[in-house]
């Protein structure tokens, strides 16, 4: 299964690189597939590439769904052996 995570572009660098904040994690990603993306835009990031520019509402909804999935996993899956 592939998953693209929404993130907000915090800085665009020379060339096609940008710093993106994805759920609090900051990563450098390629904007080669979304050359129209600008600082402040939200992009879906997959495998180190911005693959689509999305609006803030769509980003917020996707983040909410990802957080729900995380909560479901915490409730449904047993903790690994040796975990406190």
């Amino acid at each position: 299964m592939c998953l693209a995570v929404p993130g907000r572009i915090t800085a665009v660098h020379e060339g096609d690189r940008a710093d993106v904040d994805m759920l609090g994690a900051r990563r450098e990603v390629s904007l080669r597939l979304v050359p129209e993306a600008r600082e402040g835009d939200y992009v879906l990031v997959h495998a180190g590439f911005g693959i689509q520019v999305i609006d803030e509402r769509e980003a917020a909804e996707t983040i909410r769904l990802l957080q729900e999935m995380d909560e479901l996993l915490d409730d449904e899956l047993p903790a690994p052996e040796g975990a406190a």
Side-chain angles (χ1 to χ4, degrees):
M1 176 172 86
C2 297
L3 180 66
V5 178
R8 189 175 67 80
I9 299 173
T10 58
V12 176
H13 304 292
E14 192 172 324
D16 64 359
R17 307 298 294 174
D19 295 332
V20 177
D21 182 331
M22 298 178 296
L23 304 171
R26 293 183 184 259
R27 300 284 186 264
E28 186 174 311
V29 302
S30 172
L31 298 180
R32 182 175 294 185
L33 301 175
V34 286
E36 71 278 12
R38 300 290 177 255
E39 187 173 321
D41 286 348
Y42 285 85
V43 291
L44 289 177
V45 178
H46 174 69
F49 287 86
I51 60 172
Q52 181 180 349
V53 177
I54 59 174
D55 64 34
E56 186 174 1
R57 182 183 51 76
E58 185 176 354
E61 177 65 11
T62 303
I63 290 168
R64 185 187 67 74
L65 290 171
L66 289 171
Q67 290 169 334
E68 276 185 25
M69 286 173 41
D70 191 42
E71 290 170 9
L72 286 172
L73 288 174
D74 286 345
D75 291 344
E76 298 296 325
L77 295 177
E81 286 188 35

